[in-house]
Amino acid sequence: MFIEPRVGGAGHTVKRGWIEVICGSMFSGKTEELIRRLNRAKIAKQNVEIFKPALDKRYHDEDVVSHNANAIRSTPIDFAQDMLLLGGSCDVVGIDEAQFFDDGLAEVCVKLANSGVRVIAAGLDMDYLGNPFGPMPALMAVAEYVTKVHAICVQCGDIATYSYRSAASEQQVLLGETDSYEARCRHCFQEGLKNKK
Ligand code: ZN
């Protein structure tokens, strides 16, 4: 489990920011882990703001909703840049579905962290073809802490890191269709791709 770093010490007054990334495949518990970290900050009366890309309209508009319906209020925004205005005065900024944001995401997170904000971003590290997803690689590079969470392979029960798409669509972004995906290990993911050809 991720243990928050101890900031400061006696006489420490400067607000220190940093970046945490929670990544993994679908069904790996990324959002649950994000919510766990954010709730603890909220209990400590820290000022928390949560953002998600406006295109993710699978569930209720204003909620970050994990698959276990452990919801937390969030603000849908169109551009990563919007976070600078809306989240600049927060102690903690949470980001869900970070993979769907534009390429400006890493730079925005760096600016927030530099100004003293703790940034926690959750997102898919790979798309359904097993390629790095959107702004995630850049974000992982500039983060202090990267946590890769794993799912369980539906086929063999091994550790799963891939989101295998059983539906036929070629779009990288296929929303609201968790039924069309399954978590798979490296071996079963490769087997699945082979069988599709
Ligand atoms: Zn497997």
Side-chain angles (χ1 to χ4, degrees):
M1 195 195 298
F2 181 79
I3 307 294
E4 281 81 355
R6 215 171 144 249
V7 185
H12 185 93
T13 51
V14 184
K15 208 175 136 199
R16 294 273 175 93
W18 66 87
I19 302 170
E20 299 162 34
V21 173
I22 304 159
C23 65
S25 67
M26 292 178 75
F27 314 109
S28 62
K30 297 182 298 297
T31 303
E32 287 88 343
E33 176 60 15
L34 174 67
I35 290 172
R36 186 187 73 84
R37 295 185 194 181
L38 293 174
N39 273 339
R40 297 173 78 232
K42 275 190 167 176
I43 290 164
K45 305 239 181 326
Q46 294 184 343
N47 187 358
V48 177
E49 197 69 58
I50 304 141
F51 301 102
K52 66 174 183 180
L55 62 85
D56 186 16
K57 295 209 159 100
R58 260 181 297 185
Y59 309 103
H60 191 273
D61 257 352
E62 297 232 314
D63 286 344
V64 164
V65 183
S66 67
H67 299 295
N68 69 6
N70 192 357
I72 240 185
R73 282 183 63 81
S74 74
T75 310
I77 53 171
D78 290 312
F79 304 103
Q81 195 79 22
D82 300 344
M83 274 182 255
L84 293 175
L85 255 168
L86 299 168
S89 58
C90 294
D91 300 309
V92 182
V93 163
I95 305 167
D96 196 29
E97 303 284 4
Q99 77 278 359
F100 290 136
F101 274 108
D102 50 274
D103 287 339
L105 181 65
E107 194 188 329
V108 165
C109 291
V110 165
K111 280 184 184 162
L112 286 171
N114 288 353
S115 68
V117 178
R118 174 187 177 192
V119 180
I120 316 172
L124 289 167
D125 46 10
M126 288 186 279
D127 65 15
Y128 76 105
L129 292 171
N131 296 319
F133 208 141
M136 292 300 286
L139 186 58
M140 289 157 79
V142 297
E144 273 91 341
Y145 308 99
V146 177
T147 305
K148 189 153 181 160
V149 286
H150 301 111
I152 305 294
C153 178
V154 173
Q155 300 289 317
C156 74
D158 217 333
I159 290 294
T161 48
Y162 291 93
S163 309
Y164 178 75
R165 181 186 290 166
S166 33
S169 172
E170 295 283 307
Q171 273 180 281
Q172 189 183 37
V173 179
L174 192 62
L175 289 175
E177 302 275 323
T178 51
D179 293 354
S180 321
Y181 294 91
E182 57 188 44
R184 289 202 180 189
C185 70
R186 180 180 295 278
H187 172 78
C188 297
F189 179 74
Q190 293 301 326
E191 289 298 305
L193 290 188
K194 261 188 247 165
N195 293 341
K196 269 187 178 173
K197 280 173 189 163

